[in-house]
């Protein structure tokens, strides 16, 4: 029998391999919550019988994820790396025991403590030095180091002298961090950035990016002059730069001072090596130096969608452009989810990560939080919820569950922004209107164009496209992730891919609706907002939306109770009337 606990939901799942407990090996999946301890007690008291063997399994998936980043480098250097979970009480005892039992030649430790030289880290170092044989060197690393030899004498060394330390392995030594205020010589390559650089070089081996020196980037930006500063993110500053060959680039300087910047840089480069798409920003190169972690991208002169929709200073974003942005982003996500051998979840789809070229072609940027997608219909569990409030899918926000539908939800929020011109969270709005999805949901159900559509657009939009976009948005922001369509289905709904019309038609025919559509009727040809538009396509696409709902509802993975029928209701009510009226077709959506 195998039992795993679902920490966030507080439920215990028992997977019984065989109904008869013969062989008597019980595996208990254990995390550190009280409900897990309760589960273990229950297993011991109620399930296990004398002679049984209980194996307690603790999965450290986040650490495994980080270690997998190093696989390339280890392979390159022909190094074997293993993860070992050790049991024990005090850290110092565990460390010494492990070093002795493995006959380690070096015990290398990182530290997050900010300490003075006479602090706890020194004490830990001294403890280890005393108890370990002289064949084992103790090294504590962070930024700059001090070597503490056996006699307790302090000697200042630079990390570039690491090889020197390696040659002295006969004498036991400790390296300690100097607190930041004592660090004066910033030119020394830190251990950390050295390892980041090695990893970058190993993961980008198939796609060599330009490796810029900081001096080159200084020259490109007039010494990072404030006039070239184009934007600030949560952990970065972005400058416009011109390279020697005249190419314009965006230079993103990650704020140093933590693992986060390193992880972002490595993830961005690792994932970008697998990507090439017209709607995804191209990474040109990087700069990794002692005090600098920098990413260099193609420069997109029109800035972000966020600036255009909510910036205030920009010209009104025309409907035509809004629709183009929606389709372009949908294509980028379809490429990530379905178009590459190892699919990717972006994890931070939002208006400020959608950049616009001179002709307003959208490009998705910022892969620092991206993840390799799990196989459908599985999801991955994330303990840290990162991303942007207002765009986070409910199951991710509440339970840390991630799969491709996480991006679909965020994309739905972007569609709502394009339709309404409102921000996802706007605390200046009256009560009840602050959260865009909550405010929009009943209006989407009613198809209340008067209230939904950005008042700045007036009547300058294509009603057919607006209806389609509203259908897509209402499907994408559904509470239940299983009920959300896959992004490829959303792309069919929005059209503008070559197969959209035919697939839309064939789907209608499959559902017994023989609707003809003029082949010369080009989508987007009516921009006058007139009520006399011929909008067969909108009907077809909205019907497709319903077909999707039907498909998902039959999915075994969807339990009855998890289905939110409200949007089925909203689409069908609208469509039954509409199709019956337009095409004199008796339509009933009961079957779907
Ligand atoms: N390739 C680019 N071309 C032009 N401008 C860019 C480019 N990349 C980023 N910018 C500008 O820099 C700003 C900051 O970008 P960055 O990706 O660091 O942050 P963000 O996505 O806005 O926020 P966060 O990092 O918190 O998610 C953007 O809002 C945009 O104005």
């Amino acid at each position: 029998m195998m039992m795993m606990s679902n920490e966030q939901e507080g439920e215990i799942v028992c997977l019984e391999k065989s109904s008869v407990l013969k062989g008597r090996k019980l595996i208990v999946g254990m995390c550190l919550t009280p409900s897990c301890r309760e589960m273990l007690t229950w297993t011991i008291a109620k399930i296990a019988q004398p002679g049984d063997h209980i194996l307690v399994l603790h999965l450290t998936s986040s650490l495994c994820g980080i270690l997998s980043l190093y696989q390339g480098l280890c392979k390159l250097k022909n190094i074997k790396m293993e993860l070992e979970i050790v049991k024990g009480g005090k850290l110092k005892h565990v460390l010494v025991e492990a070093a002795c039992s493995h006959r380690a030649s070096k015990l290398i430790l990182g530290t997050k403590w900010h300490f003075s030289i006479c602090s706890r880290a020194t004490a830990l170092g001294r403890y280890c030095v005393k108890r370990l044989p002289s064949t084992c060197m103790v090294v504590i690393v962070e930024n700059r180091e001090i070597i503490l030899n056996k006699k307790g004498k302090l000697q200042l060394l630079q990390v570039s002298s690491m090889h020197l330390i390696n040659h002295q392995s006969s004498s036991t030594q400790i390296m300690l961090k100097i607190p930041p205020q004592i660090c004066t010589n910033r030119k020394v390559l830190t251990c950390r950035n050295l390892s980041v650089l090695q990893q970058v070089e190993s993961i980008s081996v198939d796609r060599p990016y330009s490796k810029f020196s900081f001096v080159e980037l200084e020259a490109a930006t007039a010494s990072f002059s404030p006039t070239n500063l184009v934007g600030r993110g949560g952990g970065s500053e972005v400058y416009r730069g011109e390279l020697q060959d005249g190419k314009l680039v965006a230079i993103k300087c990650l704020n140093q001072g933590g693992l986060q910047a390193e992880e972002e840089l490595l993830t961005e480069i690792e994932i970008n090596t697998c990507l090439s798409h017209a709607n995804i920003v191209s990474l040109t190169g990087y700069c990794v130096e002692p005090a600098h972690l920098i990413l260099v991208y193609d420069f997109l002169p029109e800035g972000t969608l966020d600036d255009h929709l909510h910036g205030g200073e920009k010209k009104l974003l025309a409907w035509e452009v809004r629709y183009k942005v929606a389709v372009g982003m949908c294509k980028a996500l379809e490429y990530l989810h379905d178009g590459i051998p190892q699919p990717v979840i972006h994890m931070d789809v939002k208006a400020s990560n959608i950049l616009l070229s001179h002709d307003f072609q959208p490009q998705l940027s910022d892969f620092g939080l991206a993840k390799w997608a799990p196989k459908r219909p599985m999801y991955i569990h994330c303990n840290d919820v990162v991303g942007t409030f207002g765009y986070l899918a409910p199951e991710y926000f509440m339970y840390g569950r991630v799969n491709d539908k996480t991006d679909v939800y965020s994309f739905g929020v972007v569609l709502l922004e394009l339709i309404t011109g409102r921000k996802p969270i706007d605390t200046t709005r009256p009560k009840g209107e602050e959260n865009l999805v909550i405010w929009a949901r009943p209006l989407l159900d009613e198809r209340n164009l008067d209230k939904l559509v950005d008042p700045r657009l007036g009547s300058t939009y294509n009603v057919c496209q607006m209806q389609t976009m509203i259908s897509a948005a209402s499907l994408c922001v559904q509470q239940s992730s299983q009920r959300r369509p896959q992004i490829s289905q959303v792309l069919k709904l929005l059209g503008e891919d070559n197969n959209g019309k035919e697939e839309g038609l064939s789907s209608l025919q499959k559902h017994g609706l023989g609707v003809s559509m003029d082949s010369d009727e080009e989508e987007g040809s009516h921009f006058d907002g007139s009520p006399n538009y011929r909008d067969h396509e909108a009907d077809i696409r909205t019907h497709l939306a319903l077909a999707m709902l039907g498909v998902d509802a039959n999915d075994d993975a969807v339990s009855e109770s998890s289905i939110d029928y409200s949007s089925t209701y909203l689409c069908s009510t609208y469509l039954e009337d509409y199709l019956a009226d337009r095409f004199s077709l008796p339509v009933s959506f009961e079957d779907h």
Side-chain angles (χ1 to χ4, degrees), residues 21-22 24 26 43-54:
L21 281 176
K22 291 225 170 88
R24 306 277 179 211
L26 313 180
T43 308
I44 296 166
K46 298 269 185 193
I47 302 292
Q49 291 173 16
D52 282 356
H53 177 177
I54 297 176

Side-chain angles (χ1 to χ4, degrees), residues 517-577:
M517 188 172 64
D518 296 341
S519 58
D520 59 351
E521 190 178 345
E522 277 306 312
E523 181 183 342
S525 55
H526 303 281
F527 276 91
D528 58 4
S530 121
N532 299 322
Y533 53 89
R534 295 172 65 197
D535 46 6
H536 297 189
E537 285 195 29
D539 295 327
I540 292 166
R541 294 207 186 102
T542 317
H543 181 80
L544 250 181
L546 279 177
M548 285 170 205
L549 291 172
V551 169
D552 269 353
N554 292 332
D555 189 341
D556 286 347
V558 186
S559 73
E560 272 297 298
S561 58
S562 71
I563 299 177
D564 164 15
Y565 284 102
S566 57
S567 33
T568 315
Y569 173 74
L570 86 93
C571 290
S572 61
T573 319
Y574 162 72
L575 264 179
E576 277 179 33
D577 293 352

Side-chain angles (χ1 to χ4, degrees), residues 539 574-587:
D539 295 327
Y574 162 72
L575 264 179
E576 277 179 33
D577 293 352
Y578 201 84
L579 290 183
D581 186 35
R582 284 250 149 203
F583 311 113
S584 311
L585 289 165
V587 187

Side-chain angles (χ1 to χ4, degrees), residues 231 233-234 236 238 250 252 298-300 304 348 350 352-353 355 366:
S236 59
V238 179
K252 179 168 177 173
D298 283 357
F299 184 76
L300 278 102
T304 69
D348 201 15
K350 57 176 177 177
S352 67
N353 280 339
L355 296 163
D366 210 346

Side-chain angles (χ1 to χ4, degrees), residues 398-558:
M398 287 160 72
Y399 308 123
R401 264 191 227 153
V402 169
N403 65 10
D404 54 344
K405 304 293 181 71
T406 316
D407 281 349
V408 172
Y409 182 92
S410 311
F411 177 66
V413 178
V414 172
L415 292 181
L416 285 179
E417 285 180 85
L418 289 165
I419 293 166
T420 64
R422 292 182 177 223
K423 295 180 187 172
I425 302 287
D426 188 348
T427 49
T428 64
R429 298 257 175 206
K431 209 166 182 291
E433 293 190 21
E434 299 104 321
N435 182 308
L436 178 55
V437 174
I438 293 174
W439 169 78
R441 239 184 216 132
L443 301 172
L444 292 167
D445 289 2
E446 295 163 16
R447 301 222 146 222
N448 191 333
L449 263 66
D450 284 347
K451 289 205 175 135
L452 279 171
V453 174
D454 187 345
R456 293 172 295 181
L457 285 172
S459 61
T460 62
Y461 60 90
N462 177 314
V463 183
C464 159
Q465 290 181 339
M466 183 63 84
Q467 295 280 17
T468 306
M469 192 126 81
I470 287 176
S471 297
S474 77
L475 289 168
C476 292
V477 297
Q478 287 182 100
Q479 193 89 9
S480 153
S481 68
Q482 292 104 322
R483 299 289 290 155
R484 281 173 226 145
Q486 280 165 12
I487 202 72
S488 54
Q489 295 172 303
V490 184
L491 186 57
K492 280 178 198 151
L493 190 63
L494 289 174
E496 269 205 19
D497 69 332
N498 297 332
N499 302 324
K501 288 179 190 171
E502 288 94 71
E503 289 191 23
L505 265 177
S506 65
S507 167
L508 267 182
Q509 277 151 3
K510 211 168 92 194
H511 288 84
L513 298 169
V515 181
S516 68
M517 188 172 64
D518 296 341
S519 58
D520 59 351
E521 190 178 345
E522 277 306 312
E523 181 183 342
S525 55
H526 303 281
F527 276 91
D528 58 4
S530 121
N532 299 322
Y533 53 89
R534 295 172 65 197
D535 46 6
H536 297 189
E537 285 195 29
D539 295 327
I540 292 166
R541 294 207 186 102
T542 317
H543 181 80
L544 250 181
L546 279 177
M548 285 170 205
L549 291 172
V551 169
D552 269 353
N554 292 332
D555 189 341
D556 286 347
V558 186

Side-chain angles (χ1 to χ4, degrees), residues 279-305:
N279 295 111
I280 292 177
V281 177
S282 288
L283 181 70
T284 308
Y286 60 86
C287 162
V288 176
E289 288 191 10
H292 309 290
L293 291 176
I294 299 175
L295 290 159
V296 180
Y297 302 90
D298 283 357
F299 184 76
L300 278 102
E302 281 299 334
T304 69
L305 177 64

Side-chain angles (χ1 to χ4, degrees), residues 191-459:
C191 259
R192 257 195 186 169
N193 284 4
L194 176 66
S195 103
V196 171
L197 184 60
Q198 284 168 342
Q199 288 176 66
V200 167
E201 282 170 355
S202 76
I203 55 185
S204 61
V205 84
D206 295 330
R207 183 146 156 193
Y209 295 108
S210 304
K211 184 174 159 188
F212 295 101
S213 68
F214 186 68
V215 175
E216 271 175 281
L217 299 181
E218 260 184 335
T221 54
S223 300
F224 293 92
S225 124
T227 52
N228 283 323
L229 183 69
V230 287
R232 276 202 177 91
S236 59
E237 283 179 348
V238 179
Y239 291 84
R240 179 185 181 278
E242 188 174 343
L243 299 178
Q244 261 186 346
D245 61 3
K247 184 181 160 86
L248 286 182
V249 286
I251 299 173
K252 179 168 177 173
C253 307
L254 302 174
N255 298 340
Q256 288 242 44
L259 272 175
Q260 210 183 326
E262 292 164 20
E263 267 179 45
E264 190 179 329
L265 180 122
L266 289 169
T267 310
E268 182 92 36
I269 295 176
E270 189 192 6
I271 290 196
N272 256 288
T273 50
C274 308
L275 309 179
S276 170
H277 190 273
N279 295 111
I280 292 177
V281 177
S282 288
L283 181 70
T284 308
Y286 60 86
C287 162
V288 176
E289 288 191 10
H292 309 290
L293 291 176
I294 299 175
L295 290 159
V296 180
Y297 302 90
D298 283 357
F299 184 76
L300 278 102
E302 281 299 334
T304 69
L305 177 64
D306 189 82
D307 296 339
H308 282 270
L309 282 177
H310 315 302
E313 291 153 26
K314 304 263 182 185
K315 248 177 69 188
L316 174 74
L317 204 59
W319 175 251
E320 192 179 351
V321 178
R322 296 188 196 200
Y323 204 80
K324 183 157 116 178
V325 168
V327 174
M329 269 312 95
C330 201
K331 286 181 179 170
L333 289 174
E334 195 224 16
Y335 170 76
L336 294 178
H337 295 181
D338 294 308
I340 39 176
Q342 201 176 352
V344 167
I345 308 171
H346 182 277
M347 299 293 298
D348 201 15
V349 174
K350 57 176 177 177
S352 67
N353 280 339
I354 298 173
L355 296 163
L356 302 168
S357 66
H358 68 281
D359 59 349
F360 288 89
Q361 276 298 342
Q363 297 196 3
L364 185 60
S365 73
D366 210 346
F367 284 78
L369 302 180
K371 292 187 189 306
W372 299 114
K375 260 198 148 152
R376 287 189 189 115
M378 312 249 283
Y379 54 80
I380 33 181
H381 232 111
C382 300
N383 291 329
D384 296 331
V385 175
V386 286
T388 307
F389 201 56
Y391 292 92
L392 300 177
E395 72 282 0
Y396 174 47
F397 182 59
M398 287 160 72
Y399 308 123
R401 264 191 227 153
V402 169
N403 65 10
D404 54 344
K405 304 293 181 71
T406 316
D407 281 349
V408 172
Y409 182 92
S410 311
F411 177 66
V413 178
V414 172
L415 292 181
L416 285 179
E417 285 180 85
L418 289 165
I419 293 166
T420 64
R422 292 182 177 223
K423 295 180 187 172
I425 302 287
D426 188 348
T427 49
T428 64
R429 298 257 175 206
K431 209 166 182 291
E433 293 190 21
E434 299 104 321
N435 182 308
L436 178 55
V437 174
I438 293 174
W439 169 78
R441 239 184 216 132
L443 301 172
L444 292 167
D445 289 2
E446 295 163 16
R447 301 222 146 222
N448 191 333
L449 263 66
D450 284 347
K451 289 205 175 135
L452 279 171
V453 174
D454 187 345
R456 293 172 295 181
L457 285 172
S459 61

